[in-house]
Amino acid sequence: MSDIYLDNNATTPLDPRVLEAMLPFLKGSFGNPASASHKFGWGAEEAVEAAREQVGGALNAAGKDIIWTSGATEGNNLAIQGLARLPGERRRHIVTSPIEHKSTVEPCRFLAADGFEVTWLRPDPTGRISAEQVAAAIRDDTLLVTVMMGNNELGTVNPVAEIGAVCKGRGVLFHTDAAQAFGKIPIDVERMGIDLLTLSAHKLYGPKGVGALFARRRGPRVRLQPFMLGGEQERGWRCGTLNVPGIVGCGAAAEIAVREMPEEAVRLSRLRDRLWSGLAARLPEIRLNGNGDHRLPHTLNVSFAYADGDSLMAHLSDIAVSSGSACTSASVAPSYVLRGIGLSDVAARSSIRFSLGRFNTEAEIDRSIERVAETVIRLRRMNPACELARREATALGHDASAPPP
Ligand SMILES: *Cc1c(COP(=O)(O)O)cnc(C)c1O
């Protein structure tokens, strides 16, 4: 039997339909969209502009509000640093949270070391930031609020429309990292009061190395300081010859995802809930990390008491998942996101993220349930602390299904 891929929040396979759309631009249609004087350039430009409309359309934005990037890391950096570095900008305060993706956390930390003040809002135990918290944090010199739409480790979805309304009311720009949410849940930048939004193609069955930043041109008009100079592309904010095949793939990926979202979101959330209830029926002392109600349809994060996540992954060699310590895989530190919502080091290390995708089947979920359950049981048997703790809990009359202290 082949391996099962349940790590779709790390990256997704390319949808064959996206590949089909890209192929002409990897073959004969090689023109540079900036070449305004011949057909080769015109054809490429037409394709890039069509993709811009596809991505804009998926957000209820105009195509002209879309800037092509190399992905969400660049989009987050361009939004945050691009605003902060704008000549003449006097506002020096940024509002964010410590469980954002590193490509938001690190630029904010960098700015904090360079004369900016950053308010790090404390998420609730499910990983949510409230609009009230944002309202209380905004000051006269607040330049930007940046809060992600859906968390990549927990799947928790923030009340983005409420946060957007608060920002609008106070005249503060609102940026959201939608790398995980885009194409999975409905997004409307008008209704949600979003001024800047980051997305990435490879989280949505598109190619790697391409994404987009939505930057509003009116109501208000966003201005950014580019990192790179030397070209007119993308309003001068992101110069360099465009990645035409990638951009075409990003557009196709967006269009497919939005068209199929109503059925696919239901299918994925059913699979996700089947996985959770299958595990919960077989294993005592497991806990759901994240928000039961406000969650991306494809993400399930679980702590397995008395089972180390990395050992679990090592034993589950035929199932691809992420552990609560491997998300920053260069280091063995427990996940800062799980620590950030109050999990102990041990609980964070015993966590596994299952992220489902378009190509997962019910049979794969059922096989994963059996494989994970048998492996957790085996690891717990080998863990001397496990029996002891369970007997103690029973002796004290504690609920054995509660998370470990
Ligand atoms: C993957 C991811 C990113 C980074 O995206 P890249 O396109 O790989 O640079 C940023 N934010 C979130 C929430 C992500 O899941």
Side-chain angles (χ1 to χ4, degrees), residues 68 70 74 78 225-231 233 236-240:
W68 300 116
S70 63
E74 184 184 342
L78 182 55
Q225 177 65 28
F227 302 135
M228 295 183 290
L229 306 174
Q233 293 93 346
W237 292 348
R238 210 293 188 160
C239 47

Side-chain angles (χ1 to χ4, degrees), residues 72 150 221 236 278 285 294 313 367 372 403:
R221 182 180 188 85
E285 297 177 69
H294 306 283
M313 282 209 306
R367 197 172 120 220
V372 172

Side-chain angles (χ1 to χ4, degrees), residues 9-11 69-76 100-104 148-153 177-181 198-203 207-211 353:
N9 285 14
T11 194
T69 64
S70 63
T73 298
E74 184 184 342
N76 287 340
E100 294 285 312
H101 191 266
K102 286 276 184 193
S103 56
T104 293
M148 71 203 312
M149 194 170 288
N151 187 279
N152 45 303
E153 286 193 40
D177 174 356
Q180 292 296 346
T198 299
L199 62 93
S200 178
H202 78 98
K203 302 288 175 73
K208 291 166 185 60
V210 61
R353 177 187 72 185

Side-chain angles (χ1 to χ4, degrees), residues 82-391:
L83 274 178
R85 298 297 181 202
L86 205 59
E89 180 55 69
R90 288 213 184 77
R91 290 168 294 180
R92 281 282 177 274
H93 180 231
I94 294 172
V95 178
T96 189
S97 106
I99 65 166
E100 294 285 312
H101 191 266
K102 286 276 184 193
S103 56
T104 293
V105 170
E106 291 302 328
C108 288
R109 200 179 279 164
F110 179 76
L111 290 169
D114 195 33
F116 282 77
E117 262 190 80
V118 177
T119 298
W120 301 95
L121 299 175
R122 195 192 168 95
D124 79 7
T126 74
R128 252 183 147 222
I129 298 292
S130 72
E132 292 72 30
Q133 283 176 287
V134 172
I138 289 176
R139 323 189 303 208
D140 288 342
D141 64 340
T142 304
L143 170 65
L144 174 70
V145 170
T146 174
V147 174
M148 71 203 312
M149 194 170 288
N151 187 279
N152 45 303
E153 286 193 40
L154 303 166
T156 299
V157 175
N158 278 311
V160 166
E162 285 92 324
I163 293 172
V166 165
C167 294
K168 275 269 154 321
R170 304 285 290 274
V172 173
L173 292 173
F174 176 38
H175 166 251
T176 191
D177 174 356
Q180 292 296 346
F182 180 65
K184 318 275 177 48
I185 58 174
I187 301 179
D188 180 331
V189 292
E190 292 306 320
R191 190 180 65 73
M192 295 174 159
I194 296 165
D195 299 308
L196 293 134
L197 178 144
T198 299
L199 62 93
S200 178
H202 78 98
K203 302 288 175 73
L204 196 67
Y205 318 99
K208 291 166 185 60
V210 61
L213 176 66
F214 158 79
R216 185 178 285 287
R217 278 172 316 137
R218 60 171 78 93
R221 182 180 188 85
V222 171
R223 295 190 313 130
L224 299 171
Q225 177 65 28
F227 302 135
M228 295 183 290
L229 306 174
E232 299 290 306
Q233 293 93 346
E234 307 303 285
R235 293 185 244 173
W237 292 348
R238 210 293 188 160
C239 47
T241 301
L242 292 174
N243 169 7
V244 179
I247 288 167
V248 168
C250 188
E255 189 175 306
I256 293 168
V258 169
R259 191 173 61 230
E260 299 184 347
M261 191 191 298
E263 300 82 46
E264 183 62 1
V266 171
R267 190 187 76 90
L268 283 173
S269 51
R270 282 206 185 119
L271 289 183
R272 177 199 67 190
D273 295 345
R274 184 181 182 91
L275 178 55
W276 167 247
S277 45
L279 293 172
R282 283 161 185 76
L283 295 167
E285 297 177 69
I286 71 173
R287 138 190 178 145
L288 177 79
N289 297 315
N291 194 296
D293 300 319
H294 306 283
R295 191 152 41 114
L296 295 171
H298 62 292
T299 308
L300 176 68
N301 192 310
V302 182
S303 293
F304 299 93
Y306 312 113
D308 175 66
D310 284 331
S311 313
L312 191 49
M313 282 209 306
H315 285 81
L316 286 173
S317 54
D318 55 342
I319 300 179
V321 291
S322 280
S323 84
S325 58
C327 299
T328 47
S329 54
S331 67
V332 290
S335 148
Y336 71 95
V337 172
L338 296 175
R339 296 287 286 117
I341 59 166
L343 264 67
S344 67
D345 269 15
V346 173
R349 283 183 203 279
S350 76
S351 301
I352 295 285
R353 177 187 72 185
F354 303 91
S355 48
L356 282 49
R358 185 176 286 165
F359 304 107
N360 290 127
T361 62
E362 196 171 276
E364 286 182 322
I365 297 304
D366 290 346
R367 197 172 120 220
S368 301
I369 293 167
E370 298 309 330
R371 290 280 293 116
V372 172
E374 74 191 18
T375 311
V376 169
I377 289 166
R378 190 141 41 94
L379 287 176
R380 283 178 175 176
R381 272 201 204 113
M382 298 190 309
N383 182 347
C386 180
E387 251 328 286
L388 185 66
R390 195 169 323 176
R391 253 183 278 131

